[in-house]
């Protein structure tokens, strides 16, 4: 996984294009398609939004991520994949199973369904990002405001109760 | 002209002083002087030309009596004198020519002195007076020009030559002389005086008086003046402009001076405004950098930050599931395999295939190397820690930057308001720097204008002086110009007079010439009866023409008798014309009768002719003085008898001495 060219298609291609487009004379929300691709599965999972690949109305051209970019960022991508596999209890109820999916089956033939799931989260994330950041924007100021509002919303929902020390403590426990 | 008397002193044969009176009686107007050949007839005739013109036809130019010159001795001196008394135009004249002769120590004659010619006349008061020495020649020319004299004092022996001369190529002087005799000289003189060839004619003198340069000079000066006037006008215009401009400029300068004082504060406000403007610029800059900062952080840390909760949950899952420490330190799958194969545990308990120990040991295989995922999980946990730490400040960072961006509008509006307030304050005020610039400009203008005025006033003064000089020049030239106009007018008059006179003269001259021709012909036919007539051309040359000889007409060879007849006829004709004109008081032609002094003219004629000549001459000439041979004299006296008033005889004593004796 993460060693072959990836293409967004249909409505997702259109949305990714808009997410990477310049909203003023020099700024764009996402610098590359890759940046969308890296954030989208996290957002999709957190919002529990899965989407399937579509061809849109047929007018949208696919937008690609080259394998080289994917290979270079393979560690980060694998990290996200493992997170999702470890946490998605709908996919596998027992922790042992989820650990197998996250570690033992990663990048193996048994992972085929997991990879599909992962892509569904990616595309779902694209839908969420588009909806939150782009859809309601009417002026250039709105993009930035949407971005902030989106992050603030995430912060309210997930991050306020967590701090780095908790995570460090868990890490120490996990490594023992 | 009437000859009254002549006296000769030591002139050639005439030793001492001898006198002769000529008949002036109009009835008996002939004086006959007889003498044999060589007795002095020709000498006496020559005495006239010597006295009047200082020349003789003799080869020997010494006119002193030979007897006297031989007796002068050494260092002696003697005088020759001929004195002629005459009446001309009612004035009594006495012409005297004298020549002094001296001998050297050996008694030889020296080269004689120049002759001295004097003309004495009786003026209107009856007093004797002398014509000025410088004018005697001229006066003589007026009385009887030398060119003509030979026709009145003539030598019969040379008559052939004279005839030729008269017939062929007469000099212009001759024609002029004839004209003069015929009374045309008044015209010719007038014409000559007005516009002749001489450099001193009236017309030429006017040309000399005319200053042809003055016109162009005046034009030039006027041109200069108009240029000066144009420049002066410009200067005046400019000066009044300068007055206005200077007034305006200095008013402006004052105005700005006041404004500068009033608006000192504006400078402070302007500085404040500048600060605010730079703040706004800074604000805009930080908005830009914050915006890109938000984006940058979002792109770099967004994913990790969003995953924080998931990282936390995942770690918790792993810790709770106790998966992470299930590995047995330093135990490898080979160790377990060894224990199973020997069927005996480390603790000594037996391991039976399919038994509880056997199953437990096979589970251990999952958690130890090589099948262990402990390392992967450990690695994953470290990544979790790194990512969560790295992204921990992401939201704070974005929040801060976003607050700048979102606060921008408020800050910007605040600064803008402040600037607006200052602008409003400044609106009523003026920029001191600008005011200062303007003040400096107008003040500079005032100075420039003053300098220009000074320069223009100086130039004006200079031009005024130059202009005055031109005016003076023109006034001077205008005087000359007036003179020019006067001169031009005079010249026009003179030219008109000249042309008028010339046309009248031409007419009159032709008339006179025709009359002369007629007169000459009349006389010629009286003297010489033959089929010939004389023709006068416009140069007064005489041609003898055959009247009609079988259709032949033209000039012909003439005999001696004919020649003499021609001369007689011509001279008689001239004299006759002169006389007739003289009597016509209304005529424009003023002339004088002339005597005829002849030397032995009759020898060439036969008796019949002598008679006719003797008959004709006293009638046409006012006075006839005739020198004649004994034989001819008798014939002449026979023919002119009643006309002869005086008679003289040459008494030849020897070759050197002759005496005149009255008869």
């Amino acid at each position: 996984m993460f060693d072959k060219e990836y293409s967004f298609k249909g409505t997702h291609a259109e949305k990714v294009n808009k997410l990477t487009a310049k909203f003023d004379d020099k700024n764009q929300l996402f610098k590359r398609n890759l940046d969308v691709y890296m954030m989208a599965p996290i957002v999709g999972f957190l919002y529990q939004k899965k989407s399937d690949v579509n061809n849109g109305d047929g007018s949208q051209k696919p937008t690609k991520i080259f394998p080289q970019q994917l290979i270079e960022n393979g560690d980060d991508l694998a990290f996200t994949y493992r997170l999702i596999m470890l946490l998605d209890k709908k996919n596998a109820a027992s922790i042992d199973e989820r650990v197998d999916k996250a570690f033992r089956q990663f990048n193996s033939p048994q992972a085929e369904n997991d990879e599909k799931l992962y892509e569904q989260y990616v595309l779902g994330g694209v839908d969420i990002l588009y909806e939150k950041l782009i859809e309601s924007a009417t002026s250039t100021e709105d993009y930035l405001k949407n971005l902030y509002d989106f992050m603030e919303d995430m912060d309210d929902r997930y991050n306020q109760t967590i701090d780095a020390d908790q995570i460090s403590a868990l890490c120490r426990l996990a490594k023992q | 002209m009437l000859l009254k008397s002549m006296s000769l002193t030591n002139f050639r044969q005439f030793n001492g002083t001898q006198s002769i009176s000529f008949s002036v009686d109009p009835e008996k107007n002939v004086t006959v002087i007889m003498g044999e050949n060589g007795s002095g007839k020709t000498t006496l005739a020559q005495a006239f030309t010597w006295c009047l013109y200082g020349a003789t036809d003799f080869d020997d130019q010494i006119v002193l009596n030979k007897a006297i010159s031989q007796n002068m001795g050494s260092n002696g001196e003697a005088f020759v004198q001929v004195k002629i008394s005459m009446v001309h135009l009612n004035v009594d004249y006495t012409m005297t020519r004298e020549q002094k002769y001296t001998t050297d120590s050996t008694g030889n004659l020296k080269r004689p002195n120049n002759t001295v010619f004097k003309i004495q006349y009786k003026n209107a008061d009856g007093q004797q007076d002398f014509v000025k020495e410088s004018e005697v020649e001229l006066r003589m020319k007026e009385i009887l020009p030398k060119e003509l004299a030979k026709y009145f004092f003539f030598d019969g022996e040379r008559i052939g030559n004279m005839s030729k001369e008269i017939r062929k190529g007469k000099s212009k002087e001759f024609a002029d002389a004839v004209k003069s005799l015929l009374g045309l000289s008044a015209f010719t003189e007038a014409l000559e005086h007005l516009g002749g060839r001489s450099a001193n004619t009236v017309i030429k003198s006017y040309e000399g008086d005319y200053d042809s340069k003055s016109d162009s000079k005046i034009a030039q000066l006027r041109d200069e003046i108009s240029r000066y006037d144009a420049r002066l006008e410009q200067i005046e215009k400019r000066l009044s402009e300068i007055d206005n401009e200077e007034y305006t400029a200095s008013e402006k300068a004052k105005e700005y001076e006041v404004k500068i004082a009033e608006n000192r504060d504006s400078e402070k406000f302007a500085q404040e405004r500048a600060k605010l403007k730079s703040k706004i610029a800074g604000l805009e800059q930080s908005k830009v950098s914050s915006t890109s900062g938000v984006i940058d952080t979002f792109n770099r840390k967004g994913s990790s930050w969003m995953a924080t909760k998931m990282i936390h949950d995942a770690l918790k899952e792993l810790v709770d599931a106790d998966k992470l420490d299930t590995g047995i330190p330093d135990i490898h799958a080979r160790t377990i395999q060894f224990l199973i194969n020997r069927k005996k545990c480390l603790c000594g308990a037996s391991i039976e295939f399919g038994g509880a120990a056997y199953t437990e040991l096979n589970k251990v295989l999952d958690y130890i190397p090589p099948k262990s995922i402990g390392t992967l999980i450990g690695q994953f946990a470290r990544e979790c820690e790194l990512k969560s730490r790295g992204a921990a400040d992401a939201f704070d960072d974005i929040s801060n930057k976003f607050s700048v961006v979102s606060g921008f509008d408020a800050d910007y509006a605040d600064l803008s308001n402040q600037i607006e307030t200052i602008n409003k304050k400044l609106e009523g005020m003026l920029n001191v720097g600008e005011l200062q610039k303007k003040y400096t400009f107008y003040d500079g203008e005032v100075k420039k204008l003053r300098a220009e005025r000074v320069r223009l006033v100086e130039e004006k003064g200079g031009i005024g002086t130059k202009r005055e000089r031109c005016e003076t020049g023109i006034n001077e030239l205008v005087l000359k110009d007036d003179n020019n106009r006067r001169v031009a007018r005079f010249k026009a008059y003179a030219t008109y007079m000249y042309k008028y006179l010339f046309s009248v003269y031409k007419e009159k001259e032709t008339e006179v010439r025709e009359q002369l021709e007629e007169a000459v012909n009349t006389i010629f036919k009286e003297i010489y009866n033959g089929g010939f007539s004389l023709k006068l051309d416009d140069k007064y040359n005489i041609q003898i023409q055959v009247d009609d000889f079988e259709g032949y007409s033209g000039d012909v060879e003439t005999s001696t008798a004919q020649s003499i007849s021609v001369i007689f006829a011509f001279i008689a004709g001239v004299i006759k014309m002169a006389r007739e004109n003289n009597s016509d008081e209304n005529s424009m032609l003023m002339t004088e009768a002339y005597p005829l002094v002849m030397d032995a003219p009759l020898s060439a004629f036969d008796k019949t002719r002598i008679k006719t000549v003797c008959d004709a001459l006293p009638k046409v000439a006012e006075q006839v003085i005739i020198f004649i041979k004994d034989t001819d004299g008798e014939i002449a006296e026979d023919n002119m008898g009643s006309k002869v008033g005086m008679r003289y005889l040459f008494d030849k004593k020897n070759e050197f001495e002759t005496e005149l004796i009255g008869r």
Side-chain angles (χ1 to χ4, degrees):
Chain A
M1 207 179 176
F2 309 129
D3 52 3
K4 290 189 280 295
E5 181 183 281
Y6 181 79
S7 290
F8 291 106
K9 292 180 180 130
T11 55
H12 297 107
E14 188 181 345
K15 286 173 181 173
V16 168
N17 280 338
K18 284 186 180 165
L19 286 165
T20 53
K22 282 190 177 171
F23 61 86
D24 61 16
D25 57 348
K26 59 185 194 181
N27 294 302
Q28 56 205 111
L29 288 174
F30 292 92
K31 288 182 178 157
R32 302 167 293 182
N33 288 354
L34 176 75
D35 297 319
V36 179
Y37 186 72
M38 282 166 71
M39 188 180 279
I42 297 166
V43 174
F45 181 77
L46 286 172
Y47 278 81
Q48 280 302 301
K49 165 87 176 168
K50 290 186 275 188
S51 293
D52 292 318
V53 175
N54 66 62
N55 285 320
D57 56 11
S59 69
Q60 298 95 340
K61 281 183 181 170
T63 180
K64 294 171 182 175
I65 304 169
F66 294 107
Q68 186 60 34
Q69 279 184 322
L70 294 169
I71 290 164
E72 277 171 9
N73 294 276
D75 289 348
D76 291 335
L77 291 166
F79 179 75
T80 305
Y81 179 87
R82 285 184 171 122
L83 274 181
I84 288 171
M85 289 303 127
L86 280 174
L87 293 173
D88 193 356
K89 290 173 182 166
K90 287 178 190 165
N91 191 25
S94 78
I95 182 67
D96 290 344
E97 228 179 316
R98 280 184 270 137
V99 168
D100 283 347
K101 286 183 187 293
F103 299 105
R104 291 206 175 83
Q105 292 165 20
F106 175 69
N107 222 6
S108 74
Q110 299 102 297
E112 194 186 334
N113 288 328
D114 297 339
E115 286 173 5
K116 274 185 187 159
L117 177 71
Y118 180 82
E119 191 181 3
Q120 281 177 323
Y121 282 126
V122 169
L123 299 178
V126 168
D127 287 337
I128 297 294
L129 284 171
Y130 180 79
E131 181 196 319
K132 297 280 178 189
L133 300 180
I134 305 288
E135 211 162 52
S136 64
T138 53
S139 71
T140 55
E141 279 83 17
D142 287 347
Y143 287 95
L144 214 60
K145 188 173 181 299
N146 288 347
L147 185 137
Y148 178 76
D149 288 346
F150 176 56
M151 286 186 78
E152 194 180 36
D153 182 40
M154 299 272 255
D155 193 48
D156 284 346
R157 282 216 240 174
Y158 311 111
N159 287 16
Q160 268 184 353
T161 54
I162 303 162
D163 58 33
D165 294 340
Q166 286 176 298
I167 291 173
S168 293
L170 285 170
C171 280
R172 277 195 298 280
L173 288 172
K175 281 186 274 181
Q176 275 170 12
Chain B
M1 176 177 152
L2 270 182
L3 297 167
K4 286 166 77 182
S5 65
M6 177 163 71
S7 74
L8 305 102
T9 303
N10 301 336
F11 188 81
R12 291 179 66 96
Q13 292 101 314
F14 300 96
N15 194 345
T17 301
Q18 300 192 41
S19 296
I20 180 168
S21 295
F22 307 112
S23 176
V24 293
D25 183 340
E27 296 303 320
K28 294 175 181 255
N29 59 354
V30 181
T31 300
V32 178
I33 301 156
M34 288 198 294
E36 53 191 271
N37 282 343
S39 62
K41 297 192 297 294
T42 304
T43 299
L44 195 60
Q46 289 290 320
F48 281 100
T49 55
W50 189 81
C51 175
L52 299 180
Y53 308 109
T56 64
D57 288 335
F58 299 122
D59 293 337
D60 184 0
Q61 289 298 312
I62 303 295
V63 294
L64 180 66
N65 181 272
K66 297 291 181 198
I68 288 181
S69 68
Q70 278 169 8
N71 295 321
M72 275 167 76
S74 58
N75 299 321
E77 61 174 47
F79 288 89
V80 175
Q81 190 193 59
V82 175
K83 186 187 280 183
I84 295 169
S85 294
M86 64 170 75
V87 181
H88 183 72
L89 295 173
N90 300 320
V91 178
D92 283 326
Y93 288 95
T94 302
M95 280 77 173
T96 310
R97 188 173 296 272
E98 205 172 70
Q99 191 173 30
K100 188 181 172 186
Y101 285 84
T102 50
T103 52
D104 61 16
S105 53
T106 59
N108 290 327
L109 268 182
K110 288 186 188 168
R111 192 186 156 84
N113 288 5
N114 285 337
T115 60
V116 176
F117 183 54
K118 284 176 182 157
I119 300 177
Q120 199 180 18
Y121 67 99
K122 201 182 272 180
N123 63 21
D125 308 333
Q127 299 295 310
Q128 290 292 327
D129 209 343
F130 282 96
V131 172
K132 275 190 240 166
E133 201 183 323
S134 58
E135 292 175 5
V136 290
E137 300 290 339
L138 190 68
R139 181 63 65 88
M140 193 57 231
K141 198 173 179 179
E142 282 173 10
I143 295 167
L144 180 63
K146 190 184 170 190
E147 289 76 21
L148 271 185
K150 55 189 170 189
Y151 300 100
F152 296 97
F153 303 97
F154 74 82
D155 182 352
E157 286 160 13
R158 300 187 323 109
I159 215 156
N161 285 340
M162 288 167 72
S163 166
K164 274 181 199 157
E165 278 177 26
I166 228 169
R167 286 171 48 221
K168 297 235 164 87
K170 285 270 74 60
S171 65
K172 186 179 176 294
E173 283 74 17
F174 174 74
D176 287 345
V178 173
K179 285 174 195 168
S180 164
L181 271 177
L182 294 177
L184 291 166
S185 62
F187 277 103
T188 55
E189 293 281 313
L191 288 169
E192 180 64 27
H193 176 65
L194 288 171
R197 279 193 208 86
S198 149
N200 301 319
T201 66
V202 173
I203 290 170
K204 280 178 186 159
S205 79
Y206 286 143
E207 278 164 2
D209 288 346
Y210 190 86
D211 184 353
S212 60
K213 283 178 187 161
S214 74
D215 281 355
S216 67
K217 269 188 197 157
I218 287 180
Q220 194 189 324
L221 288 173
R222 285 200 200 289
D223 207 42
E224 246 174 77
I225 285 182
S226 71
R227 271 208 315 279
Y228 290 144
D229 283 346
R231 181 61 189 145
L232 282 174
E233 201 180 314
Q234 279 178 347
I235 289 175
E236 287 298 344
K237 197 177 157 211
R238 182 62 194 141
L239 281 174
S240 77
E241 278 172 6
I242 287 175
D243 286 344
N244 285 333
E245 285 172 19
E246 193 200 330
Y247 178 76
T248 314
S250 56
E251 284 300 299
K252 281 273 183 193
K254 274 184 213 158
E255 198 181 298
Y256 282 110
E257 232 175 344
V258 172
K259 279 185 184 166
I260 286 168
E262 283 172 358
N263 292 282
R264 289 278 175 220
D265 285 348
S266 75
E267 226 167 334
K268 205 174 69 195
F269 288 129
Q271 283 166 8
E272 223 170 290
R273 183 173 59 184
K275 273 183 203 162
L276 290 169
K277 279 185 175 170
S278 87
K279 268 189 195 171
I280 281 190
L283 212 57
E284 279 168 345
Q285 183 54 44
S286 74
K287 183 193 175 187
V288 168
S289 64
S290 296
T291 303
S292 60
V294 167
I295 303 282
D296 186 53
T297 305
F298 179 71
N299 274 269
R300 277 192 298 110
K301 302 179 176 176
S303 301
S304 302
W305 178 81
M306 284 180 192
T308 307
K309 165 77 172 155
M310 290 165 77
I311 289 168
H312 175 268
D313 291 353
L315 284 172
K316 204 163 181 295
E317 286 280 339
L318 289 172
V319 171
D320 290 349
D322 213 10
K323 287 287 174 190
L324 295 181
D325 56 349
T326 45
I328 302 160
D330 302 325
I331 297 294
H332 195 267
R334 287 190 298 273
T335 314
I336 301 300
Q337 201 59 53
F338 172 77
L339 293 177
I340 288 172
N341 288 346
R342 79 174 185 178
K343 297 178 178 178
K344 193 180 179 181
C345 186
L346 290 175
C347 64
S350 70
I351 304 165
E352 280 184 43
F353 185 79
Y358 175 82
T359 308
E360 197 60 28
L361 282 172
N362 272 311
K363 276 186 185 171
V364 170
L365 284 175
D366 283 345
Y367 303 102
I368 55 171
K371 217 181 171 182
S372 168
I373 52 164
T375 12
L376 282 174
I377 291 171
Q379 201 184 319
F380 177 77
R382 278 198 297 281
E383 257 181 89
C384 285
E385 190 177 14
L386 280 174
K387 285 193 187 292
S388 69
R389 283 205 180 278
D393 61 346
F395 184 62
D396 287 344
D397 187 27
I398 285 174
S399 292
N400 290 337
K401 282 173 178 159
F402 181 71
S403 76
V404 171
V405 174
S406 62
F408 170 83
D409 285 348
D411 294 346
Y412 184 89
D414 183 40
L415 287 171
S416 293
N417 283 340
Q418 286 183 46
I419 287 172
E420 196 50 38
T421 312
I422 289 173
N423 278 346
K424 273 187 185 144
K425 277 187 199 161
L426 280 171
E427 216 165 84
M429 304 181 98
L430 297 158
N431 182 326
V432 173
E434 283 298 309
L435 291 174
Q436 186 63 47
K437 262 189 222 162
K438 285 196 172 153
Y439 170 75
T440 311
F441 171 75
Y442 285 113
D443 194 46
E445 281 299 291
V446 169
K447 282 174 189 155
K448 264 193 247 166
L449 288 167
R450 283 181 185 157
E452 190 183 354
R453 181 193 286 122
V454 168
R455 191 168 55 71
L456 286 176
V457 167
E458 275 171 16
E459 190 188 344
K460 186 175 147 188
I463 288 177
T465 312
K466 283 184 197 163
R467 195 191 181 284
E468 248 167 60
R469 233 175 271 149
C470 287
E471 288 274 16
T472 313
I474 286 179
N475 286 339
E476 279 169 14
L477 288 169
V478 163
L479 286 179
K480 278 194 194 166
D481 193 47
D482 286 348
N483 185 51
N484 270 357
R485 246 177 270 150
R486 217 172 34 136
V487 168
R489 202 163 59 234
F490 290 170
K491 188 184 158 194
Y493 284 141
T495 309
Y496 175 79
M497 287 280 284
Y498 177 83
K499 284 180 181 163
Y500 177 74
L501 268 183
F502 187 74
S503 69
V504 173
Y505 163 76
K506 262 296 172 200
E507 193 185 313
K508 213 71 190 173
E509 195 257 355
T510 310
E511 197 182 301
V512 164
R513 187 152 40 80
E514 283 165 6
Q515 282 175 11
L516 178 62
E517 194 181 74
E518 198 188 318
V520 169
N521 268 309
T522 311
I523 295 163
F524 180 72
K525 281 176 179 167
E526 263 180 51
I527 300 169
Y528 190 88
N529 48 2
F532 299 107
S533 62
L534 301 180
K535 187 113 186 104
L536 265 183
D537 67 12
D538 58 359
K539 293 192 176 68
Y540 294 86
N541 297 327
I542 293 176
Q543 270 133 31
I544 301 168
Q545 292 183 317
V546 178
D547 274 347
D548 186 17
F549 182 68
E550 292 179 358
Y552 177 83
S553 77
D555 200 4
V556 292
E557 279 294 316
T558 51
S559 66
T560 312
Q562 271 175 4
S563 296
I564 294 166
S565 302
V566 167
I567 296 296
F568 271 130
F570 180 71
I571 292 163
V574 169
I575 289 169
K576 188 181 172 218
M577 281 280 294
R579 242 181 123 180
E580 280 169 3
N581 282 335
N582 200 27
S583 60
D584 182 357
E585 283 180 13
N586 293 326
S587 172
M588 285 177 77
L589 309 167
M590 288 296 290
T591 185
E592 171 73 327
Y594 284 92
L596 188 55
V597 180
M598 297 185 292
D599 177 14
L602 304 177
S603 317
F605 293 147
D606 54 33
K607 282 189 181 174
T608 325
R609 291 249 158 69
I610 291 174
K611 191 180 182 319
T612 49
V613 167
C614 290
D615 214 22
L617 290 183
K619 282 183 203 158
V620 296
E622 197 164 40
Q623 185 182 37
V624 179
I625 297 165
I626 190 163
F627 306 100
I628 211 160
K629 282 195 294 193
D630 295 352
T631 44
D632 290 344
E634 281 157 19
I635 304 162
E637 279 198 34
D638 286 348
N639 290 304
M640 292 194 282
S642 61
K643 292 282 182 182
V644 177
M646 300 289 249
R647 290 180 177 81
Y648 288 91
L649 183 71
F650 289 104
D651 180 14
K652 183 179 174 182
K653 298 250 176 94
N654 55 48
E655 284 302 314
F656 307 120
E657 288 172 280
T658 294
E659 284 186 5
L660 276 167
I661 304 163
R663 288 190 290 133

